[in-house]
Amino acid sequence: MQDASADTEQGPHVTVLLHEAVSALITDPAGVYVDGTFGRGGHSKAVLEKLAPEGRLIAFDKDPEAIAIGQELSEQDPRFSIIHDSFANIAQHLESDSVAGILLDLGVSSPQLDQAERGFSFLQDGPLDMRMDTSNGQSAADWIATASETEIADVIYRYGEERFSRRIAKAIVLARAEAPITRTVQLANIIKAAHPKWEKHKHPATRAFQGIRIYINRELEDLEQILDASLPLLVNEGRLVVISFHSLEDRIVKQFIRKQQQGPELPKDIPIQSSHVATLKAVGKALKPPVNEVDANIRARSAVMRVAERQRR
């Protein structure tokens, strides 16, 4: 999957860090694994190729279109099953100490970006939806129609890291008073006109669209939830593999692994001896796609993969 900031280029869906992620994930070919973000099945198919006949792969996805593709795969391979739910609810579907590895490929997928009717793209005109699960929840258009100017500014600033969020929010509120904002290009043009300083090689609506999308889909909250839920699910030496596409996601993953490995940060000037027992251990350093992969798939340019291993209880 990718971050929507890569919306300046389109192309076929290419799974990012495919071989690196699968190699890091699988330690026991006969184990039970989870693909928390099935997408179009790139990672899942590669995992299945590495699993033994008794191995099992359970995938999750919010997107009904992804679920339909996953159900076809489940008919072809009895080792595979897919659940229409957010990965945040993983604990409702799996038992503790039962999973050999969890893979999370975060962000929005290329097909979602490239289908104008999904409402993620600021380059292609379509209904302003932005929901990964189109069968549930509030669309971006509905939210923008009712949210206060302060709330819009806060969302764009917090999740999109847009420093001109208040100026953009004011423009959105003024525009919606004239006519409902229901189309992606309509919103993009409002943001474009209000944005005083464009970043080089980046559409001025990039950060605002990212912020709204992350908020609508509860992406950071879901990530924090599954990270916490992963600990009791993973077997000893089970792996957690996370591919992030922007700094907000990667920061959450990095801090979570560090905290589980080292414990909470203690004041440096107070002689306190920590009794923390590590629950995770980082495996290697953060990994970015090689140059040839970025050249072949520009949407991979911001990807960062982190791997952690469950420590013995």
Side-chain angles (χ1 to χ4, degrees):
M1 296 192 180
Q2 344 283 339
D3 174 41
S5 64
D7 204 9
T8 50
E9 301 89 3
Q10 295 182 33
H13 179 65
V14 180
T15 305
V16 176
L17 289 166
L18 176 62
H19 302 294
E20 294 88 344
V22 173
S23 296
L25 179 72
I26 298 177
T27 56
D28 175 14
V32 175
Y33 292 87
V34 171
D35 182 351
T37 47
F38 178 75
R40 293 303 180 264
H43 282 119
S44 282
K45 292 172 185 176
V47 169
L48 289 169
E49 290 178 359
K50 301 292 185 180
L51 292 187
E54 61 270 32
R56 187 181 174 199
L57 176 61
I58 303 166
F60 288 77
D61 211 290
K62 296 179 181 180
D63 189 340
E65 293 183 19
I67 294 299
I69 295 172
Q71 288 172 341
E72 293 180 3
L73 181 58
S74 68
E75 294 173 359
Q76 301 167 9
D77 194 326
R79 300 172 301 168
F80 176 79
S81 61
I82 189 165
I83 297 170
H84 185 194
D85 200 355
S86 167
F87 56 51
N89 299 321
I90 188 173
Q92 299 177 17
H93 302 278
L94 297 169
E95 297 180 359
S96 296
D97 199 22
S98 64
V99 179
I102 298 172
L103 172 62
L104 306 175
D105 180 16
L106 305 175
V108 62
S109 69
S110 294
Q112 289 170 332
L113 280 175
D114 294 340
Q115 294 171 11
E117 63 271 18
R118 297 304 300 271
F120 291 104
S121 174
F122 41 73
L123 297 180
Q124 302 180 80
D125 191 35
L128 189 59
D129 195 315
M130 292 196 193
R131 290 174 298 168
M132 292 179 180
D133 184 351
T134 53
S135 67
N136 186 40
Q138 186 181 41
S139 71
D142 290 340
W143 177 72
I144 282 177
T146 58
S148 68
E149 181 177 328
T150 298
E151 184 181 2
I152 294 171
D154 289 348
V155 164
I156 293 173
Y157 181 78
R158 179 182 177 188
Y159 298 116
E161 299 180 294
E162 172 56 75
R163 61 187 176 126
F164 298 107
S165 61
R166 302 207 177 282
R167 183 168 180 157
I168 290 169
K170 182 177 181 179
I172 289 172
V173 170
L174 288 173
R176 79 182 182 191
E178 300 294 327
I181 302 172
T182 61
R183 309 289 295 183
T184 54
V185 169
Q186 179 189 9
L187 177 60
N189 286 338
I190 293 167
I191 297 169
K192 185 177 179 180
H195 206 297
K197 191 173 182 179
W198 300 3
E199 296 178 68
K200 191 175 182 180
H201 305 309
K202 183 174 286 189
H203 191 287
T206 297
R207 293 182 179 275
F209 264 63
Q210 173 186 296
I212 295 169
R213 186 206 85 216
I214 289 174
Y215 173 79
I216 290 294
N217 293 287
R218 298 187 75 258
E219 292 177 44
L220 300 188
E221 292 85 353
D222 281 5
L223 174 57
E224 290 172 341
Q225 190 170 330
I226 192 174
L227 291 176
D228 287 334
S230 69
L231 294 175
L233 296 177
L234 288 169
V235 301
N236 290 334
E237 299 182 355
R239 294 285 182 87
L240 175 65
V241 179
V242 186
I243 302 173
S244 305
F245 285 87
H246 58 73
S247 60
L248 294 175
E249 294 171 337
D250 185 54
R251 189 179 305 132
I252 289 172
V253 177
K254 179 181 179 180
Q255 292 177 350
F256 175 78
I257 294 173
R258 190 209 63 79
K259 181 179 178 181
Q260 298 306 320
Q261 179 170 291
Q262 302 177 10
E265 288 191 36
L266 300 174
K268 295 181 179 180
D269 56 341
I270 300 178
I272 299 176
Q273 186 169 356
S274 174
S275 59
H276 174 75
V277 177
T279 53
L280 286 177
K281 179 182 178 181
V283 178
K285 297 181 179 180
L287 181 66
K288 295 186 177 182
V291 174
N292 62 328
E293 181 172 355
V294 175
D295 288 343
N297 176 23
I298 193 62
R299 286 173 172 165
R301 63 191 172 193
S302 58
V304 179
M305 185 178 84
R306 296 185 186 274
V307 182
E309 186 174 273
R310 185 68 164 93
Q311 295 301 284
R312 291 188 173 275
R313 291 167 172 80

